[in-house]
Amino acid sequence: MSMLTLKGPRWVTVRQHRRALWTLSAAVSASLAAVIALRWWASYAADPYEVGAGWALREGMGHAGTAMLLLPLLVGAFTAGPVVARELESGTYRLALTQSTTPRAWLASKAVLAAAAATAGSAALVGVYRLGHAPLVGSHQFTWADRGPYESTGTVVVAYCLLGVAVGTLVGQLVRRTLPAMAVTGLVTGVVMLVLSSLRWSILPIRTLTAPVAAGPPKLSTGDFMTDLGLTTGSGGRLSEGACFERTRSMSQCPADLDVTGWYLEYHPVSHYWPTQSVETAVVLVLAALSLWGAFAVLRKRHP
């Protein structure tokens, strides 16, 4: 977006936060360079778990996954504090309102800039992460359902960044103080992420496999995500997978009083990845839209 094509409050907003925009561009560029270097180095590693090139790629992508989880909190905090609350706290927003700019246009310029930067930046980082994640797909802590890789390889993290923008726009107006607004927005965004992640695997129906006790636990296909494993009883009840072993020291021999009839295994197939991503993304975008509506409702109440 060229500053030459921007006018009024949008030009002012971009001008005010040009350093943050350049920092975002530099972060994406540096991340891409680091991932390319790690992949090139790791291509010469015989064992991805051995300390060296392969290990460095795994460690780097592990930290990258954590950083991607924190990205929506950072985006929300920046929107709430430096973008919205700081102007309200200092009173500089009044200057914009004297320049033939309506309150709605002033706030819209803040929200649009933050949303555009958050979308472009997070989408670019998802692409960078997928590039580094590709050699590690399916390995320990890098399966499609693991915390970090799940968010960082799909659309969910982009949606959470937009939620951070919307919550920040709302909280920035309500709190009107820079640091408290940043803290509250980060907390709210983080709580929403935790709640939705705890409900994530309830979106689609879980599939179940069963097997006789003597045959051992059922086997999953490559890439499937196990959510629960245990034993079934004649009455239809369920026991933990170690219930027999605790008594007999054998996984295939169970005491008669337990009335164990077989094994059960609950799982999500790899085909559930994109449907789960799509539903969670839609829910987050709805929450973002409601938060943004609330932000403009607060603005209308204070500046009718």
Side-chain angles (χ1 to χ4, degrees):
M1 182 184 296
S2 172
M3 292 181 62
L4 297 177
T5 63
L6 298 173
K7 297 180 180 179
R10 293 184 180 179
W11 181 89
V12 173
T13 302
V14 172
R15 179 75 177 172
Q16 286 177 321
H17 302 290
R18 63 189 184 281
R19 290 183 180 178
L21 295 175
W22 281 113
T23 299
L24 176 60
S25 300
V28 173
S29 300
S31 300
L32 178 60
V35 166
I36 291 175
L38 286 172
R39 279 204 59 174
W40 175 80
W41 190 24
S43 65
Y44 294 95
D47 184 355
Y49 294 94
E50 183 179 345
V51 174
W55 175 84
L57 177 62
R58 290 185 60 84
E59 286 295 301
M61 295 311 299
H63 291 303
T66 301
M68 290 290 279
L69 289 175
L70 296 176
L71 184 62
L73 280 65
L74 179 62
V75 168
F78 184 80
T79 303
V83 175
V84 177
R86 184 168 65 186
E87 290 202 22
L88 295 173
E89 183 178 20
S90 63
T92 55
Y93 76 99
R94 296 190 182 93
L95 177 62
L97 300 185
T98 64
Q99 305 298 316
S100 301
T101 298
T102 65
R104 182 183 178 86
W106 171 80
L107 185 61
S109 68
K110 307 294 182 183
V112 168
L113 171 67
T119 301
S122 59
L125 288 172
V126 166
V128 172
Y129 185 90
R130 289 179 69 93
L131 178 64
H133 177 259
L136 306 173
V137 171
S139 61
H140 179 59
Q141 295 182 343
F142 287 95
T143 67
W144 64 272
D146 283 323
R147 179 69 60 84
Y150 170 83
E151 291 85 357
S152 306
T153 55
T155 57
V156 165
V157 73
V158 179
Y160 278 119
C161 285
L162 290 175
L163 175 66
V165 170
V167 172
T169 305
L170 174 60
V171 172
Q173 287 192 93
L174 294 174
V175 177
R176 301 172 72 91
R177 295 178 60 191
T178 304
L179 292 180
M182 294 174 70
V184 171
T185 300
L187 178 62
V188 171
T189 305
V191 168
V192 173
M193 292 179 68
L194 285 174
V195 170
L196 291 183
S197 67
S198 68
L199 301 174
R200 177 176 298 153
W201 304 119
S202 301
I203 293 175
L204 297 180
I206 293 175
R207 298 185 182 180
T208 303
L209 295 175
T210 59
V213 176
K219 305 298 182 182
L220 286 176
S221 300
T222 302
D224 291 343
F225 168 52
M226 184 180 72
T227 59
D228 194 17
L229 173 66
L231 299 161
T232 57
T233 66
S235 62
R238 290 183 170 184
L239 301 173
S240 67
E241 59 180 302
C244 293
F245 184 81
E246 292 173 357
R247 299 271 297 274
T248 65
R249 296 301 170 185
S250 172
M251 297 293 287
S252 59
Q253 295 180 359
C254 296
D257 62 299
L258 292 181
D259 191 26
V260 171
T261 58
W263 289 91
Y264 76 90
L265 186 151
E266 294 182 339
Y267 72 103
H268 283 286
V270 68
S271 60
H272 282 186
Y273 172 75
W274 279 115
T276 304
Q277 282 267 340
S278 300
V279 173
E280 186 173 354
T281 297
V283 171
V284 175
L285 290 178
V286 168
L287 294 176
L290 291 174
S291 299
L292 197 59
W293 176 84
F296 280 93
V298 171
L299 182 71
R300 288 194 298 270
K301 184 176 181 180
R302 292 180 174 173
H303 300 278

